[in-house]
Amino acid sequence: MKPFALFAVLSLVLAGAFFSCGGGSKYVTVGAVGPVTGPAATFGISTKNGDTLAVDEWNANGGVLGKQIKMVFADDKGDPAEGATVYTKLIQQNKVCAIVGTVMSNVSLAGAPICQAAKIPMVATASTNPKVTEVGDYIFRACFIDPFQGTVGADFAYNNLKARRAACIYDLGNDYTKGLAEFFKAQFTKLGGKIVADEGHDHGVTDFKAQLTRIVQAKPDIIYNPDYYNDVALIAKQARELGFKGPLMGGDGWDSPDLVKIGGSAVEGCYFTNHYSKDDTRPVVQDFIKKYQAKFNEVPDALAVLAYDAMNLTLNAIKTAGSTKGPAIRDALAASDFQAVTGEIKFDANRNPIKSAVIIEIKNGQQQFVTTIAPTP
Amino acid sequence: MGKRKLPQMTLIAVLLYALIKVLSLDSIGALNGYFMIIINRSLIFVILTVSLNLINGITGQFSLGHMGFAAVGAYVSGTITTLVLKLSPDVASSYPIFIGAIILGGIGAAIMGFVIGFPSLRLKGDYLAIMTLGFGEVIRIILNNINYVGGPRGLLGIPKFSTFTIIYAFTFFTIVLIRNLVQSSHGRAMLAVRENEVAAELVGVDTTRYKVLGFVVGAFFAGIGGGLLAHLLQIATPTQYGFYASALLLVYVYAGGMGSITGSIIAAFGLTFLSQFLQLGFDSLSNMTGINFGSEWTMVIYALLLILIMLYKTEGLMGMKEAKLLVIEEGTK
């Protein structure tokens, strides 16, 4: 091996060793995880921003338990193997007392057993797959789960939009979109509506004409399309080209400024369910948006909000517990009744938050708040 | 007769095992759970890299879909163990079943390797690469569409069977078996195919057979690696075994040296540790200076280091050389 490479490796090992000696009880150390590199990098960066903002605020107000908070952020790269590694690192190496994160459900599913075994509470930010919190009683989440969002979508389509015939199109390669569509179909049928077309498309395609032709022929009142914004914009455009006039509807994957940029007039008059709306007039929402914009110079998306909420929820639980011991924080989390940006958060028996969803309409190229739908028990 | 050096290898392997075990004891605490998971991941990557090296470096074929084989191993063994766990929840007594499942996963992958090996008889270089790339994607998409194994959600609830001891043992056997294969007459034939197919054919090497053999054996061990990974993480998702992961393995093979088992071992260990230590280094830099360096920058440094390796050691860290221990000496006397 060349000497320089040896030198580089050695210096890194030393740097690593240095680190393990550091850290005292001057701080309350909290872990945060997000995919800041890899395919979901934009989600990770929003998540990190949300986490940072919450910690900075707490620190400005004197920290927690009389100590300053130190957040250690780790990159899971959107990969379960990397996720398992960084969760272990935060627990073993950084000795964190709780972990906030992560975004993608399959990465959270790799991290959850590690947190559960170490009795370190974990609050996933945007992992909507129901299985995540089923891992054990130390695993919580700040977002609503797939069944809730799909169900709310169906309720809104049937009751508010008076749709009776619905068509679905979704990404077969994505558990999130598939899950949402499944629960939408179940609820819509239960309410008395009819699913007239059910089409899956492969991940990464840009031409949806074959599926959309079949959908348009079935004459639906509404197309339920819980894809991510980039696919949605294309699907909306192509559906309009094929002569579909009604609204499209989707989930929180629509929440991006790019939806209107790519979709233009095709997404006009379409609806989606989301965690929060920036037009919500509650002071906690407006306050958060103002602070976030001042710090990061952009409007926070749902991932930033969820990370902010999850971090606040965790720090609040540490404060209530009066301790940095895992079991105490866990109990405090389970008993939370917290006024978060995405609504009041209480946990059910499966450690999923019971909270409301908002419906947003695209009007004149802007996201417009329509209504809040409270959870039905 | 040549010196086979198996006793020396075993001795060193056992000593190394004992050393790591002692260091990881709670009372000593030199290697905590974090280091153990990096070591475990490195060992699995050693299996995957060495097996890819057999196909790419030693037989001279080109596989861009190696993780596809690992996916087959992961899903086959994962499905078996989750089923067994459902029937009898006693994890401790199911180790023999687990080892059987891992090997069955390897066999499943080997069958795939056999299927993929055939087109390789007609395709070469870039064309073969594209074909194997396609194969990897086909596996991923098939897994996405089988609801029984969770579709895109992935196979969940896999029991945590992969302990350090198990992974270590499998890695040791993989290295020994591939080393013995490479240095047997079959291995020589594979090398001949790599160097010059026409010449090999002319001196009577059955090129067809050895190309397929390369794929079958490589795929078998990739399947083993995939199975171990699934039982370490307790989850297997299709995206984990996509093109990106296959490309990463290829990087390991090239960084270590095409055709060098030693190189593959060093690269798999070195690069897995490097990416983690970079993160630790960044953490401590942030601690010392008080400035928060984003962990996303570690990937930039990592990539730069890889470029430097390739610039200064074009043939990889080891070139085509092997450590003495891994070479079976020819007796001339």
mmCIF file with all atom_site columns, all heavy atoms in Angstrom, chain A residues 50-71:
data_model
loop_
_atom_site.group_PDB
_atom_site.id
_atom_site.type_symbol
_atom_site.label_atom_id
_atom_site.label_alt_id
_atom_site.label_comp_id
_atom_site.label_asym_id
_atom_site.label_entity_id
_atom_site.label_seq_id
_atom_site.pdbx_PDB_ins_code
_atom_site.Cartn_x
_atom_site.Cartn_y
_atom_site.Cartn_z
_atom_site.occupancy
_atom_site.B_iso_or_equiv
_atom_site.pdbx_formal_charge
_atom_site.auth_seq_id
_atom_site.auth_comp_id
_atom_site.auth_asym_id
_atom_site.auth_atom_id
_atom_site.pdbx_PDB_model_num
ATOM 1   N N   . GLY A 1 50 ? -35.361 20.131 10.175 1.00 0.00 ? 50 GLY A N   1
ATOM 2   C CA  . GLY A 1 50 ? -36.406 20.115 11.196 1.00 0.00 ? 50 GLY A CA  1
ATOM 3   C C   . GLY A 1 50 ? -35.844 19.745 12.559 1.00 0.00 ? 50 GLY A C   1
ATOM 4   O O   . GLY A 1 50 ? -36.132 20.400 13.573 1.00 0.00 ? 50 GLY A O   1
ATOM 5   N N   . ASP A 1 51 ? -35.007 18.691 12.580 1.00 0.00 ? 51 ASP A N   1
ATOM 6   C CA  . ASP A 1 51 ? -34.372 18.246 13.830 1.00 0.00 ? 51 ASP A CA  1
ATOM 7   C C   . ASP A 1 51 ? -33.549 19.376 14.438 1.00 0.00 ? 51 ASP A C   1
ATOM 8   O O   . ASP A 1 51 ? -33.641 19.681 15.630 1.00 0.00 ? 51 ASP A O   1
ATOM 9   C CB  . ASP A 1 51 ? -33.425 17.064 13.553 1.00 0.00 ? 51 ASP A CB  1
ATOM 10  C CG  . ASP A 1 51 ? -34.168 15.781 13.227 1.00 0.00 ? 51 ASP A CG  1
ATOM 11  O OD1 . ASP A 1 51 ? -35.301 15.620 13.705 1.00 0.00 ? 51 ASP A OD1 1
ATOM 12  O OD2 . ASP A 1 51 ? -33.604 14.942 12.501 1.00 0.00 ? 51 ASP A OD2 1
ATOM 13  N N   . THR A 1 52 ? -32.714 20.004 13.584 1.00 0.00 ? 52 THR A N   1
ATOM 14  C CA  . THR A 1 52 ? -31.795 21.040 14.061 1.00 0.00 ? 52 THR A CA  1
ATOM 15  C C   . THR A 1 52 ? -32.562 22.217 14.650 1.00 0.00 ? 52 THR A C   1
ATOM 16  O O   . THR A 1 52 ? -32.204 22.719 15.724 1.00 0.00 ? 52 THR A O   1
ATOM 17  C CB  . THR A 1 52 ? -30.924 21.546 12.884 1.00 0.00 ? 52 THR A CB  1
ATOM 18  O OG1 . THR A 1 52 ? -30.435 20.405 12.188 1.00 0.00 ? 52 THR A OG1 1
ATOM 19  C CG2 . THR A 1 52 ? -29.762 22.368 13.366 1.00 0.00 ? 52 THR A CG2 1
ATOM 20  N N   . LEU A 1 53 ? -33.627 22.626 13.937 1.00 0.00 ? 53 LEU A N   1
ATOM 21  C CA  . LEU A 1 53 ? -34.398 23.764 14.410 1.00 0.00 ? 53 LEU A CA  1
ATOM 22  C C   . LEU A 1 53 ? -34.956 23.497 15.803 1.00 0.00 ? 53 LEU A C   1
ATOM 23  O O   . LEU A 1 53 ? -34.866 24.343 16.701 1.00 0.00 ? 53 LEU A O   1
ATOM 24  C CB  . LEU A 1 53 ? -35.537 24.061 13.426 1.00 0.00 ? 53 LEU A CB  1
ATOM 25  C CG  . LEU A 1 53 ? -36.364 25.303 13.721 1.00 0.00 ? 53 LEU A CG  1
ATOM 26  C CD1 . LEU A 1 53 ? -35.499 26.548 13.662 1.00 0.00 ? 53 LEU A CD1 1
ATOM 27  C CD2 . LEU A 1 53 ? -37.521 25.432 12.735 1.00 0.00 ? 53 LEU A CD2 1
ATOM 28  N N   . ALA A 1 54 ? -35.511 22.305 15.999 1.00 0.00 ? 54 ALA A N   1
ATOM 29  C CA  . ALA A 1 54 ? -36.104 21.976 17.307 1.00 0.00 ? 54 ALA A CA  1
ATOM 30  C C   . ALA A 1 54 ? -35.047 22.002 18.401 1.00 0.00 ? 54 ALA A C   1
ATOM 31  O O   . ALA A 1 54 ? -35.255 22.591 19.474 1.00 0.00 ? 54 ALA A O   1
ATOM 32  C CB  . ALA A 1 54 ? -36.775 20.609 17.232 1.00 0.00 ? 54 ALA A CB  1
ATOM 33  N N   . VAL A 1 55 ? -33.894 21.395 18.135 1.00 0.00 ? 55 VAL A N   1
ATOM 34  C CA  . VAL A 1 55 ? -32.849 21.337 19.161 1.00 0.00 ? 55 VAL A CA  1
ATOM 35  C C   . VAL A 1 55 ? -32.327 22.734 19.480 1.00 0.00 ? 55 VAL A C   1
ATOM 36  O O   . VAL A 1 55 ? -32.162 23.099 20.655 1.00 0.00 ? 55 VAL A O   1
ATOM 37  C CB  . VAL A 1 55 ? -31.699 20.407 18.704 1.00 0.00 ? 55 VAL A CB  1
ATOM 38  C CG1 . VAL A 1 55 ? -30.513 20.514 19.637 1.00 0.00 ? 55 VAL A CG1 1
ATOM 39  C CG2 . VAL A 1 55 ? -32.188 18.971 18.641 1.00 0.00 ? 55 VAL A CG2 1
ATOM 40  N N   . ASP A 1 56 ? -32.122 23.552 18.445 1.00 0.00 ? 56 ASP A N   1
ATOM 41  C CA  . ASP A 1 56 ? -31.634 24.910 18.665 1.00 0.00 ? 56 ASP A CA  1
ATOM 42  C C   . ASP A 1 56 ? -32.593 25.709 19.549 1.00 0.00 ? 56 ASP A C   1
ATOM 43  O O   . ASP A 1 56 ? -32.171 26.454 20.425 1.00 0.00 ? 56 ASP A O   1
ATOM 44  C CB  . ASP A 1 56 ? -31.433 25.634 17.327 1.00 0.00 ? 56 ASP A CB  1
ATOM 45  C CG  . ASP A 1 56 ? -30.201 25.108 16.601 1.00 0.00 ? 56 ASP A CG  1
ATOM 46  O OD1 . ASP A 1 56 ? -29.486 24.273 17.196 1.00 0.00 ? 56 ASP A OD1 1
ATOM 47  O OD2 . ASP A 1 56 ? -29.966 25.519 15.442 1.00 0.00 ? 56 ASP A OD2 1
ATOM 48  N N   . GLU A 1 57 ? -33.897 25.514 19.282 1.00 0.00 ? 57 GLU A N   1
ATOM 49  C CA  . GLU A 1 57 ? -34.888 26.235 20.085 1.00 0.00 ? 57 GLU A CA  1
ATOM 50  C C   . GLU A 1 57 ? -34.826 25.835 21.548 1.00 0.00 ? 57 GLU A C   1
ATOM 51  O O   . GLU A 1 57 ? -34.861 26.680 22.438 1.00 0.00 ? 57 GLU A O   1
ATOM 52  C CB  . GLU A 1 57 ? -36.285 25.923 19.559 1.00 0.00 ? 57 GLU A CB  1
ATOM 53  C CG  . GLU A 1 57 ? -36.765 26.907 18.537 1.00 0.00 ? 57 GLU A CG  1
ATOM 54  C CD  . GLU A 1 57 ? -38.112 26.478 18.014 1.00 0.00 ? 57 GLU A CD  1
ATOM 55  O OE1 . GLU A 1 57 ? -39.008 26.163 18.841 1.00 0.00 ? 57 GLU A OE1 1
ATOM 56  O OE2 . GLU A 1 57 ? -38.237 26.419 16.802 1.00 0.00 ? 57 GLU A OE2 1
ATOM 57  N N   . TRP A 1 58 ? -34.754 24.521 21.772 1.00 0.00 ? 58 TRP A N   1
ATOM 58  C CA  . TRP A 1 58 ? -34.696 24.035 23.161 1.00 0.00 ? 58 TRP A CA  1
ATOM 59  C C   . TRP A 1 58 ? -33.440 24.568 23.841 1.00 0.00 ? 58 TRP A C   1
ATOM 60  O O   . TRP A 1 58 ? -33.486 24.990 24.986 1.00 0.00 ? 58 TRP A O   1
ATOM 61  C CB  . TRP A 1 58 ? -34.708 22.505 23.208 1.00 0.00 ? 58 TRP A CB  1
ATOM 62  C CG  . TRP A 1 58 ? -36.085 21.937 23.121 1.00 0.00 ? 58 TRP A CG  1
ATOM 63  C CD1 . TRP A 1 58 ? -36.832 21.833 22.001 1.00 0.00 ? 58 TRP A CD1 1
ATOM 64  C CD2 . TRP A 1 58 ? -36.874 21.394 24.188 1.00 0.00 ? 58 TRP A CD2 1
ATOM 65  N NE1 . TRP A 1 58 ? -38.047 21.253 22.301 1.00 0.00 ? 58 TRP A NE1 1
ATOM 66  C CE2 . TRP A 1 58 ? -38.087 20.978 23.631 1.00 0.00 ? 58 TRP A CE2 1
ATOM 67  C CE3 . TRP A 1 58 ? -36.661 21.217 25.556 1.00 0.00 ? 58 TRP A CE3 1
ATOM 68  C CZ2 . TRP A 1 58 ? -39.094 20.392 24.396 1.00 0.00 ? 58 TRP A CZ2 1
ATOM 69  C CZ3 . TRP A 1 58 ? -37.663 20.633 26.320 1.00 0.00 ? 58 TRP A CZ3 1
ATOM 70  C CH2 . TRP A 1 58 ? -38.881 20.236 25.740 1.00 0.00 ? 58 TRP A CH2 1
ATOM 71  N N   . ASN A 1 59 ? -32.326 24.537 23.119 1.00 0.00 ? 59 ASN A N   1
ATOM 72  C CA  . ASN A 1 59 ? -31.071 25.006 23.698 1.00 0.00 ? 59 ASN A CA  1
ATOM 73  C C   . ASN A 1 59 ? -31.127 26.492 24.020 1.00 0.00 ? 59 ASN A C   1
ATOM 74  O O   . ASN A 1 59 ? -30.616 26.928 25.045 1.00 0.00 ? 59 ASN A O   1
ATOM 75  C CB  . ASN A 1 59 ? -29.895 24.706 22.768 1.00 0.00 ? 59 ASN A CB  1
ATOM 76  C CG  . ASN A 1 59 ? -29.392 23.286 22.956 1.00 0.00 ? 59 ASN A CG  1
ATOM 77  O OD1 . ASN A 1 59 ? -29.634 22.664 23.998 1.00 0.00 ? 59 ASN A OD1 1
ATOM 78  N ND2 . ASN A 1 59 ? -28.704 22.760 21.956 1.00 0.00 ? 59 ASN A ND2 1
ATOM 79  N N   . ALA A 1 60 ? -31.774 27.279 23.140 1.00 0.00 ? 60 ALA A N   1
ATOM 80  C CA  . ALA A 1 60 ? -31.901 28.705 23.382 1.00 0.00 ? 60 ALA A CA  1
ATOM 81  C C   . ALA A 1 60 ? -32.734 28.964 24.639 1.00 0.00 ? 60 ALA A C   1
ATOM 82  O O   . ALA A 1 60 ? -32.540 29.949 25.343 1.00 0.00 ? 60 ALA A O   1
ATOM 83  C CB  . ALA A 1 60 ? -32.526 29.380 22.171 1.00 0.00 ? 60 ALA A CB  1
ATOM 84  N N   . ASN A 1 61 ? -33.656 28.030 24.917 1.00 0.00 ? 61 ASN A N   1
ATOM 85  C CA  . ASN A 1 61 ? -34.493 28.185 26.111 1.00 0.00 ? 61 ASN A CA  1
ATOM 86  C C   . ASN A 1 61 ? -33.929 27.456 27.322 1.00 0.00 ? 61 ASN A C   1
ATOM 87  O O   . ASN A 1 61 ? -34.653 27.127 28.250 1.00 0.00 ? 61 ASN A O   1
ATOM 88  C CB  . ASN A 1 61 ? -35.917 27.678 25.831 1.00 0.00 ? 61 ASN A CB  1
ATOM 89  C CG  . ASN A 1 61 ? -36.610 28.532 24.800 1.00 0.00 ? 61 ASN A CG  1
ATOM 90  O OD1 . ASN A 1 61 ? -36.376 29.741 24.752 1.00 0.00 ? 61 ASN A OD1 1
ATOM 91  N ND2 . ASN A 1 61 ? -37.421 27.930 23.963 1.00 0.00 ? 61 ASN A ND2 1
ATOM 92  N N   . GLY A 1 62 ? -32.650 27.137 27.280 1.00 0.00 ? 62 GLY A N   1
ATOM 93  C CA  . GLY A 1 62 ? -32.020 26.549 28.461 1.00 0.00 ? 62 GLY A CA  1
ATOM 94  C C   . GLY A 1 62 ? -31.873 25.041 28.416 1.00 0.00 ? 62 GLY A C   1
ATOM 95  O O   . GLY A 1 62 ? -31.545 24.425 29.432 1.00 0.00 ? 62 GLY A O   1
ATOM 96  N N   . GLY A 1 63 ? -32.147 24.435 27.278 1.00 0.00 ? 63 GLY A N   1
ATOM 97  C CA  . GLY A 1 63 ? -31.922 22.996 27.151 1.00 0.00 ? 63 GLY A CA  1
ATOM 98  C C   . GLY A 1 63 ? -32.974 22.177 27.877 1.00 0.00 ? 63 GLY A C   1
ATOM 99  O O   . GLY A 1 63 ? -34.112 22.617 28.070 1.00 0.00 ? 63 GLY A O   1
ATOM 100 N N   . VAL A 1 64 ? -32.585 20.986 28.296 1.00 0.00 ? 64 VAL A N   1
ATOM 101 C CA  . VAL A 1 64 ? -33.531 20.105 28.987 1.00 0.00 ? 64 VAL A CA  1
ATOM 102 C C   . VAL A 1 64 ? -32.831 19.508 30.210 1.00 0.00 ? 64 VAL A C   1
ATOM 103 O O   . VAL A 1 64 ? -31.626 19.264 30.180 1.00 0.00 ? 64 VAL A O   1
ATOM 104 C CB  . VAL A 1 64 ? -34.047 19.013 28.013 1.00 0.00 ? 64 VAL A CB  1
ATOM 105 C CG1 . VAL A 1 64 ? -32.956 18.029 27.623 1.00 0.00 ? 64 VAL A CG1 1
ATOM 106 C CG2 . VAL A 1 64 ? -35.236 18.254 28.599 1.00 0.00 ? 64 VAL A CG2 1
ATOM 107 N N   . LEU A 1 65 ? -33.556 19.352 31.288 1.00 0.00 ? 65 LEU A N   1
ATOM 108 C CA  . LEU A 1 65 ? -33.020 18.835 32.554 1.00 0.00 ? 65 LEU A CA  1
ATOM 109 C C   . LEU A 1 65 ? -31.810 19.650 33.018 1.00 0.00 ? 65 LEU A C   1
ATOM 110 O O   . LEU A 1 65 ? -30.857 19.138 33.602 1.00 0.00 ? 65 LEU A O   1
ATOM 111 C CB  . LEU A 1 65 ? -32.608 17.362 32.439 1.00 0.00 ? 65 LEU A CB  1
ATOM 112 C CG  . LEU A 1 65 ? -33.642 16.361 31.912 1.00 0.00 ? 65 LEU A CG  1
ATOM 113 C CD1 . LEU A 1 65 ? -33.034 14.970 31.829 1.00 0.00 ? 65 LEU A CD1 1
ATOM 114 C CD2 . LEU A 1 65 ? -34.896 16.358 32.754 1.00 0.00 ? 65 LEU A CD2 1
ATOM 115 N N   . GLY A 1 66 ? -31.812 20.964 32.689 1.00 0.00 ? 66 GLY A N   1
ATOM 116 C CA  . GLY A 1 66 ? -30.727 21.838 33.123 1.00 0.00 ? 66 GLY A CA  1
ATOM 117 C C   . GLY A 1 66 ? -29.444 21.680 32.332 1.00 0.00 ? 66 GLY A C   1
ATOM 118 O O   . GLY A 1 66 ? -28.417 22.259 32.694 1.00 0.00 ? 66 GLY A O   1
ATOM 119 N N   . LYS A 1 67 ? -29.485 20.875 31.262 1.00 0.00 ? 67 LYS A N   1
ATOM 120 C CA  . LYS A 1 67 ? -28.282 20.697 30.443 1.00 0.00 ? 67 LYS A CA  1
ATOM 121 C C   . LYS A 1 67 ? -28.580 21.110 29.009 1.00 0.00 ? 67 LYS A C   1
ATOM 122 O O   . LYS A 1 67 ? -29.731 21.109 28.588 1.00 0.00 ? 67 LYS A O   1
ATOM 123 C CB  . LYS A 1 67 ? -27.864 19.226 30.450 1.00 0.00 ? 67 LYS A CB  1
ATOM 124 C CG  . LYS A 1 67 ? -27.322 18.742 31.771 1.00 0.00 ? 67 LYS A CG  1
ATOM 125 C CD  . LYS A 1 67 ? -27.064 17.251 31.681 1.00 0.00 ? 67 LYS A CD  1
ATOM 126 C CE  . LYS A 1 67 ? -26.665 16.692 33.030 1.00 0.00 ? 67 LYS A CE  1
ATOM 127 N NZ  . LYS A 1 67 ? -26.687 15.232 33.019 1.00 0.00 ? 67 LYS A NZ  1
ATOM 128 N N   . GLN A 1 68 ? -27.514 21.439 28.275 1.00 0.00 ? 68 GLN A N   1
ATOM 129 C CA  . GLN A 1 68 ? -27.677 21.702 26.848 1.00 0.00 ? 68 GLN A CA  1
ATOM 130 C C   . GLN A 1 68 ? -27.876 20.364 26.109 1.00 0.00 ? 68 GLN A C   1
ATOM 131 O O   . GLN A 1 68 ? -27.416 19.323 26.576 1.00 0.00 ? 68 GLN A O   1
ATOM 132 C CB  . GLN A 1 68 ? -26.440 22.420 26.307 1.00 0.00 ? 68 GLN A CB  1
ATOM 133 C CG  . GLN A 1 68 ? -26.341 23.869 26.754 1.00 0.00 ? 68 GLN A CG  1
ATOM 134 C CD  . GLN A 1 68 ? -27.329 24.771 26.013 1.00 0.00 ? 68 GLN A CD  1
ATOM 135 O OE1 . GLN A 1 68 ? -27.211 24.978 24.819 1.00 0.00 ? 68 GLN A OE1 1
ATOM 136 N NE2 . GLN A 1 68 ? -28.312 25.305 26.729 1.00 0.00 ? 68 GLN A NE2 1
ATOM 137 N N   . ILE A 1 69 ? -28.544 20.456 24.975 1.00 0.00 ? 69 ILE A N   1
ATOM 138 C CA  . ILE A 1 69 ? -28.805 19.227 24.212 1.00 0.00 ? 69 ILE A CA  1
ATOM 139 C C   . ILE A 1 69 ? -27.782 19.120 23.093 1.00 0.00 ? 69 ILE A C   1
ATOM 140 O O   . ILE A 1 69 ? -27.517 20.097 22.386 1.00 0.00 ? 69 ILE A O   1
ATOM 141 C CB  . ILE A 1 69 ? -30.214 19.264 23.594 1.00 0.00 ? 69 ILE A CB  1
ATOM 142 C CG1 . ILE A 1 69 ? -31.257 19.416 24.698 1.00 0.00 ? 69 ILE A CG1 1
ATOM 143 C CG2 . ILE A 1 69 ? -30.475 18.009 22.760 1.00 0.00 ? 69 ILE A CG2 1
ATOM 144 C CD1 . ILE A 1 69 ? -32.503 20.107 24.244 1.00 0.00 ? 69 ILE A CD1 1
ATOM 145 N N   . LYS A 1 70 ? -27.201 17.959 22.945 1.00 0.00 ? 70 LYS A N   1
ATOM 146 C CA  . LYS A 1 70 ? -26.306 17.736 21.814 1.00 0.00 ? 70 LYS A CA  1
ATOM 147 C C   . LYS A 1 70 ? -26.967 16.728 20.884 1.00 0.00 ? 70 LYS A C   1
ATOM 148 O O   . LYS A 1 70 ? -27.305 15.619 21.299 1.00 0.00 ? 70 LYS A O   1
ATOM 149 C CB  . LYS A 1 70 ? -24.959 17.210 22.288 1.00 0.00 ? 70 LYS A CB  1
ATOM 150 C CG  . LYS A 1 70 ? -23.906 17.302 21.190 1.00 0.00 ? 70 LYS A CG  1
ATOM 151 C CD  . LYS A 1 70 ? -22.528 17.006 21.709 1.00 0.00 ? 70 LYS A CD  1
ATOM 152 C CE  . LYS A 1 70 ? -22.326 15.509 21.769 1.00 0.00 ? 70 LYS A CE  1
ATOM 153 N NZ  . LYS A 1 70 ? -21.080 15.120 22.349 1.00 0.00 ? 70 LYS A NZ  1
ATOM 154 N N   . MET A 1 71 ? -27.197 17.146 19.634 1.00 0.00 ? 71 MET A N   1
ATOM 155 C CA  . MET A 1 71 ? -27.809 16.224 18.680 1.00 0.00 ? 71 MET A CA  1
ATOM 156 C C   . MET A 1 71 ? -26.714 15.604 17.814 1.00 0.00 ? 71 MET A C   1
ATOM 157 O O   . MET A 1 71 ? -25.884 16.315 17.259 1.00 0.00 ? 71 MET A O   1
ATOM 158 C CB  . MET A 1 71 ? -28.800 16.970 17.789 1.00 0.00 ? 71 MET A CB  1
ATOM 159 C CG  . MET A 1 71 ? -29.445 16.084 16.744 1.00 0.00 ? 71 MET A CG  1
ATOM 160 S SD  . MET A 1 71 ? -30.564 16.997 15.683 1.00 0.00 ? 71 MET A SD  1
ATOM 161 C CE  . MET A 1 71 ? -29.479 17.450 14.341 1.00 0.00 ? 71 MET A CE  1
#
